[in-house]
């Protein structure tokens, strides 16, 4: 008997299967590589008059690992949030198909994140930047997509995520892969800047057309 739902037959599932069966590097479960940080606070009661550094799900971009931190008065945050610190990874368990996974870099101050996220600290076998990259890949998504539960607000469970297997090359190789991503990221940012410039030029053309129409109607 075969399931007929599209998620069970998502192409990333086959991609993950083929990759795991062909990689030359040892495989580890994510649970063997991380410690979960689960320090919960309710700012409304515990940090009422403090300015809280906060990352909500809307603060995390899909797929690309970028984010921004909001500064919010504690009394405005009414639900429980989780603490994060530098060199941790934040993984959104809600709608995992969006790949909302970020690395909190060295030097970042302590802050708080939506309770809809897992916060991980890696051990010595794996660089956190490398894990963040892999967690956004089809290799991971293909292993969890058929285990996502919930219709309106689909989530991946903690045990299911921690059971996912990933290849662990030597640390030097991990750094090499991180640098490859950074090079592509630099090219991406150049294209995004050009896109913003072209968008501004397009907007200026539209504004100029209205100015010309107005001038024609007045003379």
């Amino acid at each position: 008997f075969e399931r007929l739902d599209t998620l069970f037959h998502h192409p990333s599932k086959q991609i993950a299967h083929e990759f795991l069966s062909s990689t030359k590097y040892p495989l580890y479960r994510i649970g063997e590589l991380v410690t979960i940080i689960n320090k919960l606070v309710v700012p409304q009661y515990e940090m009422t008059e403090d300015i809280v550094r906060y990352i909500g799900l809307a603060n995390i971009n899909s797929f690309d690992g970028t984010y921004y931190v909001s500064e919010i008065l504690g009394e405005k945050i009414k639900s429980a949030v989780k603490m994060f610190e530098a060199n941790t990874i934040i993984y959104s368990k809600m709608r995992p198909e969006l790949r909302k996974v970020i690395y909190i870099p060295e030097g970042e101050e302590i802050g708080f994140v939506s309770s809809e996220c897992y916060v991980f600290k890696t051990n010595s076998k794996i660089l956190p930047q490398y894990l963040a990259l892999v967690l956004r890949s089809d290799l991971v998504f293909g292993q969890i997509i058929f285990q996502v539960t919930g219709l309106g607000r689909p989530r991946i469970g903690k045990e299911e995520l921690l059971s996912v297997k990933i290849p662990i090359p030597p640390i030097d190789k991990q750094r090499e892969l991180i640098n490859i991503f950074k090079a592509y990221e630099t090219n991406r940012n150049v294209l995004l800047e050009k896109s913003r410039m072209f968008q501004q030029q397009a907007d200026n053309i539209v504004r100029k057309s209205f100015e010309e129409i107005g001038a024609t109607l007045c003379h």
Side-chain angles (χ1 to χ4, degrees):
F1 178 75
E2 277 201 29
R3 288 172 53 176
L4 297 178
D5 60 276
T6 56
L7 294 184
F8 186 78
H9 297 283
H10 194 281
S12 62
K13 183 182 176 184
Q14 182 62 29
I15 291 171
H17 174 74
E18 292 174 357
F19 191 96
L20 291 175
S21 61
S22 62
T23 182
K24 62 183 179 180
Y25 297 111
L27 296 171
Y28 287 83
R29 291 185 304 105
I30 290 175
E32 299 176 279
L33 303 167
V34 304
T35 300
I36 294 180
I37 299 175
N38 202 26
K39 298 179 182 176
L40 284 167
V41 301
V42 182
Q44 183 184 28
Y45 302 117
E46 301 173 53
M47 307 171 70
T48 306
E49 298 181 359
D50 296 336
I51 298 297
V52 176
R53 304 181 71 253
Y54 177 68
I55 299 176
L57 295 184
N59 296 42
I60 302 173
N61 288 333
S62 301
F63 297 99
D64 66 9
T66 60
Y67 69 97
Y68 65 93
V69 180
S70 300
E71 295 189 345
I72 304 174
L73 190 64
E75 66 177 13
K76 302 286 188 182
I77 304 176
K78 304 184 186 305
S79 58
V81 293
K82 296 178 180 178
M83 192 188 82
F84 68 81
E85 57 189 22
N87 279 321
T88 54
I89 294 164
I90 293 172
Y91 180 100
S92 172
K93 60 186 175 183
M94 183 183 290
R95 298 192 65 193
E97 76 277 8
L98 296 180
R99 326 284 177 100
K100 291 195 171 188
V101 185
I102 58 175
Y103 163 65
I104 304 297
E106 192 73 51
E108 183 74 89
E109 297 178 23
I110 287 174
F112 299 89
V113 68
S114 165
S115 60
E116 292 289 355
C117 297
Y118 300 119
V119 182
F120 297 136
K121 189 87 171 177
T122 58
N123 62 27
S124 59
K125 289 186 177 69
I126 185 169
L127 297 173
Q129 302 98 314
Y130 172 72
L131 179 57
L133 286 176
V134 176
L135 284 171
R136 294 198 299 271
S137 71
D138 278 345
L139 170 61
V140 169
F141 186 64
Q143 293 180 68
I144 65 172
I145 184 57
F146 57 94
Q147 302 182 81
V148 173
T149 58
L151 295 176
R153 296 163 70 85
R155 294 177 176 83
I156 184 65
K158 180 177 68 176
E159 296 306 318
E160 288 77 12
L161 182 61
L162 293 180
S163 296
V164 165
K165 293 180 179 179
I166 62 172
I168 304 298
I171 293 295
D172 286 347
K173 187 66 175 180
Q174 292 180 37
R175 288 197 180 96
E176 181 184 332
L177 295 170
I178 293 165
N179 288 334
I180 289 172
F181 174 78
K182 287 181 178 178
Y184 279 99
E185 187 177 43
T186 297
N187 290 336
R188 167 187 174 274
N189 291 339
V190 169
L191 291 173
L192 284 175
E193 185 57 38
K194 287 182 178 179
S195 174
R196 284 189 286 268
M197 181 182 69
F198 289 139
Q199 182 64 57
Q200 183 63 50
Q201 290 177 358
D203 291 343
N204 289 341
I205 288 172
V206 172
R207 281 193 292 270
K208 187 173 181 180
S209 71
F210 282 116
E211 291 172 3
E212 187 169 338
I213 290 170
T216 301
L217 292 172
C218 292
H219 296 286

